[in-house]
Amino acid sequence: MANKGRYEAILELGAKIQSSVDQSFGAVQKRLDGLEKSAKTSNDLFGNMAKAVAGVAGAIAGLSVVKDFIGDSIEQAMTFESSMADVAKVVDGLKDPLGNTTQAYADMSKEIIDMSLRLPMTTSEIAELMSAAAQSGIAAEELTRFAEGTAKMGVAFDLPAESAGEMAAVIRSSLGISQDEFVALADKVNYFGNTTTQSSDKLIEVVKESGLIGKQAGVAGDEIAALSAAITGMDTANMGTALNNIFGSLMAGKGATDKALSAWEKLGFDASQVARDMLVDSEGTMLSIFQSLKEKIPADELSATVSAIFGDNKSTQMAIASFTENLDDLKNNFETIGDSTKYAGSMQDEFDSRAATTENKVKLMKNAFGNLQITIGNFA
């Protein structure tokens, strides 16, 4: 009878578990019901009880896994919902006046999920990128293309998604360029990163730091990249400072100091004319100046002349030295940005190469699983 009591207790436990799980666990109860009918001997009874215990344990373990999966799915869905809420705050049309999500919200959510299946970034990271872009003034209709292009740049240049997005938005805003123009700029930066001593992430950072002042001096983003790629032995912050000082000095015009005006005259230039020429042909003007510094100024007077025109900042003087000593490299860089056959598609090729790594393939697989959890979590 003791054995019988133990068996009934197992049946009772199985019944309690059955009531708390999904219908998919109905097989557990059927197994327990079958045990009572088939138990003819004491040995059979104990054997079947062992099977029953194993079945119940399996059901409990399965229930735990299901609960964990559903819990994780709900958490994934909530995280994505929070990210989309940030996007909806800065993008018009994603919510109606009552605060309800619109079809545009659903469409953008789907675009982000689809994007995460081809880009090694989570849906939340892509949504955060879009939110930052919208806050930076990127138009709603461009957000998807901007996010995809920026994500690819982040992978190609080995930059965090947030940094890549911030850089891209600032560069587009300061230079006043379109998304297509930005992609072309990124292609050139990637090409220089592969063919010069400078890395792509450093070059794009300098373009960001010097883009606005460069534009005021008639220097385009790709020209800033070409100049930066010709500088040696300097970190990103100092390169940006050097170029900003150089651009300011070239545009000083009548505001130049007497010492600078005298140095310009010695070099064979008029400060006001230099400023005007920069706005018409910045490449030609800069190359002409650096060439004159190299050929017309005696070595023992070069440092004083550079200081008079461009100031005493050490980084600025090092940059000028790089341009004069590596003038052929600078000329080649300028020629490169005018030849699309050299750089076109460079960033995409770099992205494809990096995306093919095992690490990024694992990220894509995780994204696919995460997207499944988001779908399940939305219905849980």
Side-chain angles (χ1 to χ4, degrees):
M1 293 297 293
N3 288 342
K4 182 66 174 177
R6 291 171 61 188
Y7 178 59
E8 288 175 347
I10 292 172
L11 287 175
E12 183 180 356
L13 177 59
K16 289 181 180 179
I17 293 175
Q18 176 64 32
S19 66
S20 66
V21 298
D22 193 81
Q23 292 181 355
S24 62
F25 290 105
V28 175
Q29 184 63 55
K30 290 180 181 179
R31 177 182 295 180
L32 295 176
D33 291 342
L35 292 178
E36 188 172 16
K37 294 178 182 179
S38 63
K40 296 178 181 179
T41 66
S42 179
N43 288 338
D44 289 340
L45 181 59
F46 281 112
N48 286 325
M49 280 196 300
K51 293 180 181 179
V53 172
V56 172
I60 294 173
L63 176 60
S64 177
V65 170
V66 170
K67 284 183 176 179
D68 288 344
F69 180 77
I70 292 175
D72 289 344
S73 297
I74 293 173
E75 186 175 347
Q76 287 268 16
M78 291 174 63
T79 299
F80 181 52
E81 183 180 24
S82 296
S83 299
M84 283 301 300
D86 290 336
V87 178
K89 289 178 184 178
V90 292
V91 178
D92 294 334
L94 297 189
K95 289 191 176 182
D96 63 22
L98 298 178
N100 300 312
T101 58
T102 63
Q103 184 59 45
Y105 179 99
D107 291 342
M108 182 170 286
S109 296
K110 184 179 183 304
E111 287 175 349
I112 290 173
I113 289 174
D114 289 345
M115 212 181 297
S116 73
L117 296 178
R118 57 182 182 270
L119 299 173
M121 293 175 61
T122 66
T123 51
S124 293
E125 287 174 332
I126 295 172
E128 289 167 7
L129 197 158
M130 283 189 169
S131 177
Q135 288 180 300
S136 299
I138 303 299
E141 59 272 17
E142 279 199 295
L143 284 178
T144 301
R145 289 184 63 232
F146 175 87
E148 181 149 7
T150 302
K152 288 181 177 180
M153 184 187 79
V155 174
F157 294 0
D158 196 23
L159 292 168
E162 185 177 354
S163 297
E166 190 261 345
M167 281 186 187
V170 170
I171 289 171
R172 281 195 53 180
S173 176
S174 61
L175 295 179
I177 58 177
S178 67
Q179 182 61 23
D180 288 338
E181 289 170 326
F182 175 78
V183 171
L185 170 60
D187 281 341
K188 296 169 189 177
V189 168
N190 189 75
Y191 178 84
F192 287 137
N194 288 338
T195 59
T196 70
T197 60
Q198 300 293 356
S199 60
S200 301
D201 59 325
K202 286 180 65 175
L203 294 175
I204 199 69
E205 174 70 24
V206 177
V207 173
K208 185 194 94 170
E209 294 299 323
S210 299
L212 184 59
I213 294 179
K215 182 183 179 184
Q216 293 174 342
V219 184
D222 53 4
E223 293 170 335
I224 294 174
L227 288 163
S228 303
I231 297 175
T232 56
M234 199 179 301
D235 61 27
T236 302
N238 285 320
M239 275 198 283
T241 298
L243 289 180
N244 289 341
N245 288 340
I246 290 170
F247 298 152
S249 298
L250 292 172
M251 296 301 293
K254 293 180 180 179
T257 64
D258 290 341
K259 186 191 295 186
L261 291 173
S262 177
W264 276 121
E265 184 177 353
K266 184 177 182 180
L267 196 58
F269 292 88
D270 174 76
S272 296
Q273 188 61 48
V274 167
R276 289 191 291 269
D277 290 345
M278 282 292 294
L279 297 176
V280 177
D281 178 14
S282 58
E283 282 184 29
T285 302
M286 287 187 288
L287 287 175
S288 179
I289 291 168
F290 301 146
Q291 185 93 36
S292 294
L293 282 169
K294 182 175 180 137
E295 296 178 351
K296 293 184 178 180
I297 306 299
D300 60 339
E301 298 178 16
L302 183 58
S303 179
T305 303
V306 170
S307 293
I309 295 175
F310 299 102
D312 295 324
N313 178 270
K314 182 178 179 181
S315 297
T316 303
Q317 294 188 357
M318 286 179 63
I320 295 294
S322 291
F323 299 147
T324 55
E325 292 300 314
N326 305 313
L327 193 58
D328 287 341
D329 290 339
L330 180 58
K331 289 179 180 178
N332 288 335
N333 289 352
F334 281 146
E335 289 174 2
T336 292
I337 60 178
D339 184 359
S340 62
T341 63
K342 290 185 177 180
Y343 64 79
S346 175
M347 184 183 72
Q348 180 67 47
D349 291 343
E350 187 76 22
F351 167 78
D352 290 340
S353 176
R354 290 176 180 258
T357 63
T358 301
E359 180 183 5
N360 281 325
K361 285 182 179 179
V362 170
K363 287 182 181 179
L364 292 175
M365 182 180 69
K366 287 182 177 179
N367 286 350
F369 187 74
N371 293 343
L372 173 62
Q373 288 187 304
I374 290 172
T375 301
I376 292 173
N378 284 329
F379 288 98

